Amino acid sequence: MFLQLFKIRAQAWISQFGKGKNGRISSGRMLVFAALFIYVGVVFIGMFAGIFRSLLMPVREAGLDWLYFSIGGVMAFLLAFIGSVFSVWNQLFDSRDNDALLSMPIRPRDILASRLFMLLVMNLVLSLAIMIPVIVVWMGIGRSAGIVNFIICALAVPFLALTVSTVIGFLVGLAISRFKRKNIFRVVLTVVVLVVYFNFIINGQRIMENMLGNIETLAQTARTWLFPFYHFGLAISEGNWLSTLIFLICTAIPFAIVVAVVSKAYVGALTMKKGSKTKKYKGGKIKARSPREALFTKELRRFSTNPMILLNAGLGSIGCVVLIVIMAVKNDAITGMFSMYPVLGGNLGFMVAGLLCLVLSINQISASSISLEGKSLWIPRTLPVETGVILNAKVKAHFVYSAVPAAICAVVAVVLLKIHSLAAPFVILMPVAFALFSAYKGLLMNLHFPNLNWINEVSAVKQGAGILLSMIIDWVSIGIMFILFFIMSKIGLPDGVVCIIATVIYAAAAFFARRRMMKTGGEKFENL
Amino acid sequence: MLEIRNLTKTYGDKKAVDNLSLHIKPGEICAFIGHNGAGKTTTLKSACGILRFDEGEILINCTSIKTDPVACKKQLAYIPDNPDMYEFMTGIKYLNFIADVFAVDKAERQYKIDKYAEMFALKDDLGGQIAGYSHGMKQKLALISALIHSPKLILMDEPFVGLDPVSTHMLKELMRRMCDEGAAIFFSTHVLDVAEKLCDHVAIIRKGQLVVEGTMESVRGDASLEQVFLELEEK
């Protein structure tokens, strides 16, 4: 039964990428997306390999080989943890098929096990993005000892990450479900996590330098506070079987306890009445809007009332707010950081605009807006408005959610970072034009790859071919702009020129995407 | 009010609806009866503009749903068999949204929301999120949203499923009253007793083809609608 349940979940996940127009999974599409996944994986592995290469030598010179693996283990754990903590509540407890499964002769623990296993597979994929470069760099210096220990320990890391994310996800989910202002609570919680994360990223260089400068202290800290990862490091670097066993015990026992506890409360959690007590409706004034306004407000409301959607599809907007805070607090540090690199220091305008585009690329609001209609697609299809109006409302929501915070962020950057060149207006306009392009392109992608039969809302927002392609197009376009910027700076052109060119290109791309949407989008929507 | 001419709709190789023609006049209530998978929902969805069809024509008040869907949709309301609505909205916000899109006057919408919400005993719950509604409450909300813009044609797919006895009674009364005021109603149902007592017109579909259509009296004759239906199914 467990395998059948897992198969259903895996099939639902795969079908989001490989389902063709006839509803069947197409092997051609699957191959394309497999190639894309491999490409993204290789890029990430390459990036982490660079980090671990710079870490290995100082650690080896200090005779603390185990620390290299401990740091790798902690990073793999953190990546898997961050990757699963926000979705653990929805994946485990909030699926649409809860009632159907509970009504069948299936043991609840099988339902739980299949869902946990799906999360474990995801965690494994994420942790491998770290563990593969860790071992490749290690073997690159001719060391091969502890390879079996490595395989065993690397496979155990996802269990540890899932244990912690299940505990935190469960407690937060439980608290939120009983909290009156749950949306605010959830968003604030995420912003706090993001601030900590961005702070770590900004100070990453310094943290790494401090770590390498105080290797002994770091090693002592790891021995004392990161006991499982200390043995993780020992297990692999020395091929130590006792440490392997200790790490496995540290992983298996908490996992077993968490599974036992959650399993006991599982049926209760699945059938828990959602939502807080609602007040009796007493009437009151009703605000009338035009059909266009009503559709636009509906799209805005969809993203603002569901924190899971907001956090998964609109994280870029929150990122802009976080950036504003960081710029206000760490203004000097940022200017100082950029001045360390001459090519960047004199071109702060483009760097800010490019960074904002990168942050906005996380926003995939329009790319999931069709999928989110799901089974309520009959509503827009029976409304007496042109299809173009419905599609434009979705684009407008994406644009407003992205462009407004990005523009505010750009204005703050221009003022605080003293970007006084002629490029200043285009530092603001470039991300705005990008947001417009991203909105139209995202909607087109979603019309081509809709996912209307989702089990869980989050999967409509987080997964699917349309979202993946839309994000990749964003990244490729930003990459091209950065290449253009480096070429221009080599021939001595100011960054303002690149900002102007990028703004024009994104605006033109948005124009063509809009034309395409108006030309073919209506028909695609009506044929869904 | 609703004229379906030679409607054909195929899914892959399968003809879901085959050359179906039907005419429902203003003031008529027509029951659409057939076994599961006979093509009822496909016909209803084609009539309200959700599904595109391969052949034929559908006219709503003499306007083609193919060439002018917006004009047609302004005059009709559709209630699906399983009314999945925007769960992130409250009941009142959903009704207001529908009223906005159908450009219903502010005072009129307020009056109608109050009237129908009272009638279906949903008024107290309008402030709650649709996500927390039961199937019956969603059905009632879908009904109110369909009535809010005073449609001339109402298309309903199994409208009585999930409704409590009082609401079922209310809906039947309301359907009759609306038709007396000139609207037309075309609905699918498996509850033959209700169809027999409520409808002036009946259409029976089997494997995508219309097998019988006419006034209730002419179709039923001296037998009951159930007997007629079962006899047709056995043929």
mmCIF file with all atom_site columns, all heavy atoms in Angstrom, chain B residues 62-85:
data_model
loop_
_atom_site.group_PDB
_atom_site.id
_atom_site.type_symbol
_atom_site.label_atom_id
_atom_site.label_alt_id
_atom_site.label_comp_id
_atom_site.label_asym_id
_atom_site.label_entity_id
_atom_site.label_seq_id
_atom_site.pdbx_PDB_ins_code
_atom_site.Cartn_x
_atom_site.Cartn_y
_atom_site.Cartn_z
_atom_site.occupancy
_atom_site.B_iso_or_equiv
_atom_site.pdbx_formal_charge
_atom_site.auth_seq_id
_atom_site.auth_comp_id
_atom_site.auth_asym_id
_atom_site.auth_atom_id
_atom_site.pdbx_PDB_model_num
ATOM 1   N N   . CYS B 1 62 ? -31.339 34.173 -29.137 1.00 0.00 ? 62 CYS B N   1
ATOM 2   C CA  . CYS B 1 62 ? -31.025 34.453 -30.542 1.00 0.00 ? 62 CYS B CA  1
ATOM 3   C C   . CYS B 1 62 ? -29.571 34.901 -30.780 1.00 0.00 ? 62 CYS B C   1
ATOM 4   O O   . CYS B 1 62 ? -29.227 35.317 -31.882 1.00 0.00 ? 62 CYS B O   1
ATOM 5   C CB  . CYS B 1 62 ? -31.971 35.498 -31.133 1.00 0.00 ? 62 CYS B CB  1
ATOM 6   S SG  . CYS B 1 62 ? -33.678 35.030 -31.011 1.00 0.00 ? 62 CYS B SG  1
ATOM 7   N N   . THR B 1 63 ? -28.726 34.851 -29.755 1.00 0.00 ? 63 THR B N   1
ATOM 8   C CA  . THR B 1 63 ? -27.315 35.220 -29.954 1.00 0.00 ? 63 THR B CA  1
ATOM 9   C C   . THR B 1 63 ? -26.459 33.963 -29.866 1.00 0.00 ? 63 THR B C   1
ATOM 10  O O   . THR B 1 63 ? -26.655 33.132 -28.968 1.00 0.00 ? 63 THR B O   1
ATOM 11  C CB  . THR B 1 63 ? -26.858 36.218 -28.850 1.00 0.00 ? 63 THR B CB  1
ATOM 12  O OG1 . THR B 1 63 ? -27.805 37.282 -28.801 1.00 0.00 ? 63 THR B OG1 1
ATOM 13  C CG2 . THR B 1 63 ? -25.471 36.769 -29.135 1.00 0.00 ? 63 THR B CG2 1
ATOM 14  N N   . SER B 1 64 ? -25.521 33.846 -30.789 1.00 0.00 ? 64 SER B N   1
ATOM 15  C CA  . SER B 1 64 ? -24.694 32.640 -30.825 1.00 0.00 ? 64 SER B CA  1
ATOM 16  C C   . SER B 1 64 ? -23.626 32.670 -29.730 1.00 0.00 ? 64 SER B C   1
ATOM 17  O O   . SER B 1 64 ? -22.899 33.657 -29.585 1.00 0.00 ? 64 SER B O   1
ATOM 18  C CB  . SER B 1 64 ? -24.019 32.528 -32.194 1.00 0.00 ? 64 SER B CB  1
ATOM 19  O OG  . SER B 1 64 ? -22.966 31.601 -32.112 1.00 0.00 ? 64 SER B OG  1
ATOM 20  N N   . ILE B 1 65 ? -23.513 31.571 -29.004 1.00 0.00 ? 65 ILE B N   1
ATOM 21  C CA  . ILE B 1 65 ? -22.481 31.484 -27.949 1.00 0.00 ? 65 ILE B CA  1
ATOM 22  C C   . ILE B 1 65 ? -21.090 31.403 -28.584 1.00 0.00 ? 65 ILE B C   1
ATOM 23  O O   . ILE B 1 65 ? -20.092 31.748 -27.960 1.00 0.00 ? 65 ILE B O   1
ATOM 24  C CB  . ILE B 1 65 ? -22.743 30.274 -27.013 1.00 0.00 ? 65 ILE B CB  1
ATOM 25  C CG1 . ILE B 1 65 ? -21.865 30.312 -25.754 1.00 0.00 ? 65 ILE B CG1 1
ATOM 26  C CG2 . ILE B 1 65 ? -22.482 28.940 -27.702 1.00 0.00 ? 65 ILE B CG2 1
ATOM 27  C CD1 . ILE B 1 65 ? -22.472 30.926 -24.570 1.00 0.00 ? 65 ILE B CD1 1
ATOM 28  N N   . LYS B 1 66 ? -21.059 30.983 -29.836 1.00 0.00 ? 66 LYS B N   1
ATOM 29  C CA  . LYS B 1 66 ? -19.775 30.877 -30.535 1.00 0.00 ? 66 LYS B CA  1
ATOM 30  C C   . LYS B 1 66 ? -19.262 32.254 -30.921 1.00 0.00 ? 66 LYS B C   1
ATOM 31  O O   . LYS B 1 66 ? -18.089 32.568 -30.726 1.00 0.00 ? 66 LYS B O   1
ATOM 32  C CB  . LYS B 1 66 ? -19.950 30.038 -31.806 1.00 0.00 ? 66 LYS B CB  1
ATOM 33  C CG  . LYS B 1 66 ? -19.480 28.615 -31.691 1.00 0.00 ? 66 LYS B CG  1
ATOM 34  C CD  . LYS B 1 66 ? -19.560 27.943 -33.045 1.00 0.00 ? 66 LYS B CD  1
ATOM 35  C CE  . LYS B 1 66 ? -19.134 26.491 -32.956 1.00 0.00 ? 66 LYS B CE  1
ATOM 36  N NZ  . LYS B 1 66 ? -19.390 25.778 -34.205 1.00 0.00 ? 66 LYS B NZ  1
ATOM 37  N N   . THR B 1 67 ? -20.141 33.060 -31.505 1.00 0.00 ? 67 THR B N   1
ATOM 38  C CA  . THR B 1 67 ? -19.676 34.347 -32.050 1.00 0.00 ? 67 THR B CA  1
ATOM 39  C C   . THR B 1 67 ? -19.716 35.480 -31.031 1.00 0.00 ? 67 THR B C   1
ATOM 40  O O   . THR B 1 67 ? -18.913 36.403 -31.120 1.00 0.00 ? 67 THR B O   1
ATOM 41  C CB  . THR B 1 67 ? -20.514 34.749 -33.292 1.00 0.00 ? 67 THR B CB  1
ATOM 42  O OG1 . THR B 1 67 ? -21.888 34.725 -32.907 1.00 0.00 ? 67 THR B OG1 1
ATOM 43  C CG2 . THR B 1 67 ? -20.282 33.798 -34.442 1.00 0.00 ? 67 THR B CG2 1
ATOM 44  N N   . ASP B 1 68 ? -20.638 35.436 -30.090 1.00 0.00 ? 68 ASP B N   1
ATOM 45  C CA  . ASP B 1 68 ? -20.692 36.511 -29.103 1.00 0.00 ? 68 ASP B CA  1
ATOM 46  C C   . ASP B 1 68 ? -20.883 35.932 -27.695 1.00 0.00 ? 68 ASP B C   1
ATOM 47  O O   . ASP B 1 68 ? -21.941 36.102 -27.070 1.00 0.00 ? 68 ASP B O   1
ATOM 48  C CB  . ASP B 1 68 ? -21.827 37.487 -29.451 1.00 0.00 ? 68 ASP B CB  1
ATOM 49  C CG  . ASP B 1 68 ? -21.682 38.804 -28.703 1.00 0.00 ? 68 ASP B CG  1
ATOM 50  O OD1 . ASP B 1 68 ? -20.793 38.896 -27.824 1.00 0.00 ? 68 ASP B OD1 1
ATOM 51  O OD2 . ASP B 1 68 ? -22.449 39.741 -28.998 1.00 0.00 ? 68 ASP B OD2 1
ATOM 52  N N   . PRO B 1 69 ? -19.844 35.246 -27.189 1.00 0.00 ? 69 PRO B N   1
ATOM 53  C CA  . PRO B 1 69 ? -20.015 34.584 -25.884 1.00 0.00 ? 69 PRO B CA  1
ATOM 54  C C   . PRO B 1 69 ? -20.298 35.553 -24.743 1.00 0.00 ? 69 PRO B C   1
ATOM 55  O O   . PRO B 1 69 ? -21.052 35.223 -23.823 1.00 0.00 ? 69 PRO B O   1
ATOM 56  C CB  . PRO B 1 69 ? -18.677 33.855 -25.677 1.00 0.00 ? 69 PRO B CB  1
ATOM 57  C CG  . PRO B 1 69 ? -17.712 34.496 -26.599 1.00 0.00 ? 69 PRO B CG  1
ATOM 58  C CD  . PRO B 1 69 ? -18.497 35.016 -27.753 1.00 0.00 ? 69 PRO B CD  1
ATOM 59  N N   . VAL B 1 70 ? -19.701 36.751 -24.801 1.00 0.00 ? 70 VAL B N   1
ATOM 60  C CA  . VAL B 1 70 ? -19.882 37.696 -23.688 1.00 0.00 ? 70 VAL B CA  1
ATOM 61  C C   . VAL B 1 70 ? -21.346 38.113 -23.571 1.00 0.00 ? 70 VAL B C   1
ATOM 62  O O   . VAL B 1 70 ? -21.921 38.114 -22.476 1.00 0.00 ? 70 VAL B O   1
ATOM 63  C CB  . VAL B 1 70 ? -18.948 38.918 -23.849 1.00 0.00 ? 70 VAL B CB  1
ATOM 64  C CG1 . VAL B 1 70 ? -19.239 39.966 -22.790 1.00 0.00 ? 70 VAL B CG1 1
ATOM 65  C CG2 . VAL B 1 70 ? -17.488 38.480 -23.762 1.00 0.00 ? 70 VAL B CG2 1
ATOM 66  N N   . ALA B 1 71 ? -21.955 38.433 -24.724 1.00 0.00 ? 71 ALA B N   1
ATOM 67  C CA  . ALA B 1 71 ? -23.369 38.840 -24.713 1.00 0.00 ? 71 ALA B CA  1
ATOM 68  C C   . ALA B 1 71 ? -24.238 37.698 -24.181 1.00 0.00 ? 71 ALA B C   1
ATOM 69  O O   . ALA B 1 71 ? -25.206 37.936 -23.446 1.00 0.00 ? 71 ALA B O   1
ATOM 70  C CB  . ALA B 1 71 ? -23.806 39.237 -26.116 1.00 0.00 ? 71 ALA B CB  1
ATOM 71  N N   . CYS B 1 72 ? -23.897 36.482 -24.561 1.00 0.00 ? 72 CYS B N   1
ATOM 72  C CA  . CYS B 1 72 ? -24.674 35.321 -24.085 1.00 0.00 ? 72 CYS B CA  1
ATOM 73  C C   . CYS B 1 72 ? -24.512 35.128 -22.586 1.00 0.00 ? 72 CYS B C   1
ATOM 74  O O   . CYS B 1 72 ? -25.488 34.896 -21.868 1.00 0.00 ? 72 CYS B O   1
ATOM 75  C CB  . CYS B 1 72 ? -24.211 34.057 -24.807 1.00 0.00 ? 72 CYS B CB  1
ATOM 76  S SG  . CYS B 1 72 ? -24.675 34.031 -26.528 1.00 0.00 ? 72 CYS B SG  1
ATOM 77  N N   . LYS B 1 73 ? -23.262 35.225 -22.124 1.00 0.00 ? 73 LYS B N   1
ATOM 78  C CA  . LYS B 1 73 ? -22.990 34.965 -20.702 1.00 0.00 ? 73 LYS B CA  1
ATOM 79  C C   . LYS B 1 73 ? -23.666 36.002 -19.800 1.00 0.00 ? 73 LYS B C   1
ATOM 80  O O   . LYS B 1 73 ? -23.968 35.716 -18.643 1.00 0.00 ? 73 LYS B O   1
ATOM 81  C CB  . LYS B 1 73 ? -21.487 34.929 -20.457 1.00 0.00 ? 73 LYS B CB  1
ATOM 82  C CG  . LYS B 1 73 ? -20.820 33.667 -21.000 1.00 0.00 ? 73 LYS B CG  1
ATOM 83  C CD  . LYS B 1 73 ? -19.311 33.758 -20.897 1.00 0.00 ? 73 LYS B CD  1
ATOM 84  C CE  . LYS B 1 73 ? -18.652 32.572 -21.561 1.00 0.00 ? 73 LYS B CE  1
ATOM 85  N NZ  . LYS B 1 73 ? -17.174 32.673 -21.541 1.00 0.00 ? 73 LYS B NZ  1
ATOM 86  N N   . LYS B 1 74 ? -23.862 37.199 -20.340 1.00 0.00 ? 74 LYS B N   1
ATOM 87  C CA  . LYS B 1 74 ? -24.544 38.235 -19.543 1.00 0.00 ? 74 LYS B CA  1
ATOM 88  C C   . LYS B 1 74 ? -25.976 37.818 -19.214 1.00 0.00 ? 74 LYS B C   1
ATOM 89  O O   . LYS B 1 74 ? -26.551 38.272 -18.241 1.00 0.00 ? 74 LYS B O   1
ATOM 90  C CB  . LYS B 1 74 ? -24.574 39.547 -20.334 1.00 0.00 ? 74 LYS B CB  1
ATOM 91  C CG  . LYS B 1 74 ? -23.301 40.362 -20.179 1.00 0.00 ? 74 LYS B CG  1
ATOM 92  C CD  . LYS B 1 74 ? -23.384 41.652 -20.915 1.00 0.00 ? 74 LYS B CD  1
ATOM 93  C CE  . LYS B 1 74 ? -22.051 42.370 -20.827 1.00 0.00 ? 74 LYS B CE  1
ATOM 94  N NZ  . LYS B 1 74 ? -21.911 43.447 -21.785 1.00 0.00 ? 74 LYS B NZ  1
ATOM 95  N N   . GLN B 1 75 ? -26.540 36.962 -20.067 1.00 0.00 ? 75 GLN B N   1
ATOM 96  C CA  . GLN B 1 75 ? -27.952 36.601 -19.899 1.00 0.00 ? 75 GLN B CA  1
ATOM 97  C C   . GLN B 1 75 ? -28.167 35.290 -19.175 1.00 0.00 ? 75 GLN B C   1
ATOM 98  O O   . GLN B 1 75 ? -29.290 34.913 -18.909 1.00 0.00 ? 75 GLN B O   1
ATOM 99  C CB  . GLN B 1 75 ? -28.603 36.498 -21.273 1.00 0.00 ? 75 GLN B CB  1
ATOM 100 C CG  . GLN B 1 75 ? -28.476 37.773 -22.085 1.00 0.00 ? 75 GLN B CG  1
ATOM 101 C CD  . GLN B 1 75 ? -29.137 37.616 -23.418 1.00 0.00 ? 75 GLN B CD  1
ATOM 102 O OE1 . GLN B 1 75 ? -30.366 37.498 -23.484 1.00 0.00 ? 75 GLN B OE1 1
ATOM 103 N NE2 . GLN B 1 75 ? -28.362 37.598 -24.479 1.00 0.00 ? 75 GLN B NE2 1
ATOM 104 N N   . LEU B 1 76 ? -27.063 34.588 -18.921 1.00 0.00 ? 76 LEU B N   1
ATOM 105 C CA  . LEU B 1 76 ? -27.264 33.262 -18.323 1.00 0.00 ? 76 LEU B CA  1
ATOM 106 C C   . LEU B 1 76 ? -26.502 33.092 -17.012 1.00 0.00 ? 76 LEU B C   1
ATOM 107 O O   . LEU B 1 76 ? -25.616 33.882 -16.688 1.00 0.00 ? 76 LEU B O   1
ATOM 108 C CB  . LEU B 1 76 ? -26.886 32.153 -19.314 1.00 0.00 ? 76 LEU B CB  1
ATOM 109 C CG  . LEU B 1 76 ? -25.446 32.002 -19.790 1.00 0.00 ? 76 LEU B CG  1
ATOM 110 C CD1 . LEU B 1 76 ? -24.616 31.179 -18.829 1.00 0.00 ? 76 LEU B CD1 1
ATOM 111 C CD2 . LEU B 1 76 ? -25.442 31.301 -21.155 1.00 0.00 ? 76 LEU B CD2 1
ATOM 112 N N   . ALA B 1 77 ? -26.862 32.049 -16.323 1.00 0.00 ? 77 ALA B N   1
ATOM 113 C CA  . ALA B 1 77 ? -26.127 31.662 -15.112 1.00 0.00 ? 77 ALA B CA  1
ATOM 114 C C   . ALA B 1 77 ? -25.943 30.157 -15.164 1.00 0.00 ? 77 ALA B C   1
ATOM 115 O O   . ALA B 1 77 ? -26.822 29.435 -15.654 1.00 0.00 ? 77 ALA B O   1
ATOM 116 C CB  . ALA B 1 77 ? -26.912 32.047 -13.870 1.00 0.00 ? 77 ALA B CB  1
ATOM 117 N N   . TYR B 1 78 ? -24.789 29.712 -14.688 1.00 0.00 ? 78 TYR B N   1
ATOM 118 C CA  . TYR B 1 78 ? -24.509 28.273 -14.707 1.00 0.00 ? 78 TYR B CA  1
ATOM 119 C C   . TYR B 1 78 ? -24.120 27.811 -13.308 1.00 0.00 ? 78 TYR B C   1
ATOM 120 O O   . TYR B 1 78 ? -23.344 28.481 -12.619 1.00 0.00 ? 78 TYR B O   1
ATOM 121 C CB  . TYR B 1 78 ? -23.375 27.986 -15.696 1.00 0.00 ? 78 TYR B CB  1
ATOM 122 C CG  . TYR B 1 78 ? -22.801 26.582 -15.605 1.00 0.00 ? 78 TYR B CG  1
ATOM 123 C CD1 . TYR B 1 78 ? -23.553 25.487 -16.009 1.00 0.00 ? 78 TYR B CD1 1
ATOM 124 C CD2 . TYR B 1 78 ? -21.516 26.361 -15.135 1.00 0.00 ? 78 TYR B CD2 1
ATOM 125 C CE1 . TYR B 1 78 ? -23.041 24.200 -15.934 1.00 0.00 ? 78 TYR B CE1 1
ATOM 126 C CE2 . TYR B 1 78 ? -20.983 25.071 -15.062 1.00 0.00 ? 78 TYR B CE2 1
ATOM 127 C CZ  . TYR B 1 78 ? -21.759 24.006 -15.464 1.00 0.00 ? 78 TYR B CZ  1
ATOM 128 O OH  . TYR B 1 78 ? -21.240 22.736 -15.380 1.00 0.00 ? 78 TYR B OH  1
ATOM 129 N N   . ILE B 1 79 ? -24.665 26.702 -12.899 1.00 0.00 ? 79 ILE B N   1
ATOM 130 C CA  . ILE B 1 79 ? -24.282 26.119 -11.607 1.00 0.00 ? 79 ILE B CA  1
ATOM 131 C C   . ILE B 1 79 ? -23.788 24.696 -11.874 1.00 0.00 ? 79 ILE B C   1
ATOM 132 O O   . ILE B 1 79 ? -24.557 23.853 -12.335 1.00 0.00 ? 79 ILE B O   1
ATOM 133 C CB  . ILE B 1 79 ? -25.465 26.094 -10.614 1.00 0.00 ? 79 ILE B CB  1
ATOM 134 C CG1 . ILE B 1 79 ? -25.975 27.528 -10.395 1.00 0.00 ? 79 ILE B CG1 1
ATOM 135 C CG2 . ILE B 1 79 ? -25.049 25.491 -9.287  1.00 0.00 ? 79 ILE B CG2 1
ATOM 136 C CD1 . ILE B 1 79 ? -27.323 27.583 -9.735  1.00 0.00 ? 79 ILE B CD1 1
ATOM 137 N N   . PRO B 1 80 ? -22.514 24.437 -11.619 1.00 0.00 ? 80 PRO B N   1
ATOM 138 C CA  . PRO B 1 80 ? -22.000 23.081 -11.887 1.00 0.00 ? 80 PRO B CA  1
ATOM 139 C C   . PRO B 1 80 ? -22.449 22.077 -10.832 1.00 0.00 ? 80 PRO B C   1
ATOM 140 O O   . PRO B 1 80 ? -22.984 22.457 -9.790  1.00 0.00 ? 80 PRO B O   1
ATOM 141 C CB  . PRO B 1 80 ? -20.478 23.283 -11.851 1.00 0.00 ? 80 PRO B CB  1
ATOM 142 C CG  . PRO B 1 80 ? -20.279 24.443 -10.953 1.00 0.00 ? 80 PRO B CG  1
ATOM 143 C CD  . PRO B 1 80 ? -21.487 25.317 -11.068 1.00 0.00 ? 80 PRO B CD  1
ATOM 144 N N   . ASP B 1 81 ? -22.207 20.800 -11.130 1.00 0.00 ? 81 ASP B N   1
ATOM 145 C CA  . ASP B 1 81 ? -22.624 19.763 -10.182 1.00 0.00 ? 81 ASP B CA  1
ATOM 146 C C   . ASP B 1 81 ? -21.808 19.808 -8.892  1.00 0.00 ? 81 ASP B C   1
ATOM 147 O O   . ASP B 1 81 ? -22.294 19.476 -7.828  1.00 0.00 ? 81 ASP B O   1
ATOM 148 C CB  . ASP B 1 81 ? -22.539 18.368 -10.826 1.00 0.00 ? 81 ASP B CB  1
ATOM 149 C CG  . ASP B 1 81 ? -21.174 18.078 -11.415 1.00 0.00 ? 81 ASP B CG  1
ATOM 150 O OD1 . ASP B 1 81 ? -20.379 19.032 -11.577 1.00 0.00 ? 81 ASP B OD1 1
ATOM 151 O OD2 . ASP B 1 81 ? -20.899 16.908 -11.737 1.00 0.00 ? 81 ASP B OD2 1
ATOM 152 N N   . ASN B 1 82 ? -20.569 20.239 -9.012  1.00 0.00 ? 82 ASN B N   1
ATOM 153 C CA  . ASN B 1 82 ? -19.716 20.328 -7.823  1.00 0.00 ? 82 ASN B CA  1
ATOM 154 C C   . ASN B 1 82 ? -19.155 21.747 -7.751  1.00 0.00 ? 82 ASN B C   1
ATOM 155 O O   . ASN B 1 82 ? -18.116 22.023 -8.338  1.00 0.00 ? 82 ASN B O   1
ATOM 156 C CB  . ASN B 1 82 ? -18.589 19.297 -7.945  1.00 0.00 ? 82 ASN B CB  1
ATOM 157 C CG  . ASN B 1 82 ? -17.978 18.981 -6.612  1.00 0.00 ? 82 ASN B CG  1
ATOM 158 O OD1 . ASN B 1 82 ? -18.324 19.598 -5.594  1.00 0.00 ? 82 ASN B OD1 1
ATOM 159 N ND2 . ASN B 1 82 ? -17.064 18.054 -6.590  1.00 0.00 ? 82 ASN B ND2 1
ATOM 160 N N   . PRO B 1 83 ? -19.863 22.642 -7.098  1.00 0.00 ? 83 PRO B N   1
ATOM 161 C CA  . PRO B 1 83 ? -19.455 24.045 -7.185  1.00 0.00 ? 83 PRO B CA  1
ATOM 162 C C   . PRO B 1 83 ? -18.188 24.379 -6.397  1.00 0.00 ? 83 PRO B C   1
ATOM 163 O O   . PRO B 1 83 ? -18.239 24.812 -5.253  1.00 0.00 ? 83 PRO B O   1
ATOM 164 C CB  . PRO B 1 83 ? -20.660 24.807 -6.635  1.00 0.00 ? 83 PRO B CB  1
ATOM 165 C CG  . PRO B 1 83 ? -21.329 23.851 -5.734  1.00 0.00 ? 83 PRO B CG  1
ATOM 166 C CD  . PRO B 1 83 ? -21.000 22.476 -6.195  1.00 0.00 ? 83 PRO B CD  1
ATOM 167 N N   . ASP B 1 84 ? -17.043 24.160 -7.043  1.00 0.00 ? 84 ASP B N   1
ATOM 168 C CA  . ASP B 1 84 ? -15.777 24.589 -6.450  1.00 0.00 ? 84 ASP B CA  1
ATOM 169 C C   . ASP B 1 84 ? -15.658 26.087 -6.685  1.00 0.00 ? 84 ASP B C   1
ATOM 170 O O   . ASP B 1 84 ? -15.664 26.535 -7.828  1.00 0.00 ? 84 ASP B O   1
ATOM 171 C CB  . ASP B 1 84 ? -14.606 23.873 -7.123  1.00 0.00 ? 84 ASP B CB  1
ATOM 172 C CG  . ASP B 1 84 ? -14.473 22.449 -6.643  1.00 0.00 ? 84 ASP B CG  1
ATOM 173 O OD1 . ASP B 1 84 ? -14.149 22.259 -5.475  1.00 0.00 ? 84 ASP B OD1 1
ATOM 174 O OD2 . ASP B 1 84 ? -14.726 21.541 -7.453  1.00 0.00 ? 84 ASP B OD2 1
ATOM 175 N N   . MET B 1 85 ? -15.568 26.830 -5.595  1.00 0.00 ? 85 MET B N   1
ATOM 176 C CA  . MET B 1 85 ? -15.481 28.293 -5.730  1.00 0.00 ? 85 MET B CA  1
ATOM 177 C C   . MET B 1 85 ? -14.171 28.786 -5.143  1.00 0.00 ? 85 MET B C   1
ATOM 178 O O   . MET B 1 85 ? -13.362 27.987 -4.691  1.00 0.00 ? 85 MET B O   1
ATOM 179 C CB  . MET B 1 85 ? -16.682 28.937 -5.062  1.00 0.00 ? 85 MET B CB  1
ATOM 180 C CG  . MET B 1 85 ? -17.930 28.775 -5.914  1.00 0.00 ? 85 MET B CG  1
ATOM 181 S SD  . MET B 1 85 ? -19.424 29.232 -5.075  1.00 0.00 ? 85 MET B SD  1
ATOM 182 C CE  . MET B 1 85 ? -19.674 27.874 -4.001  1.00 0.00 ? 85 MET B CE  1
#
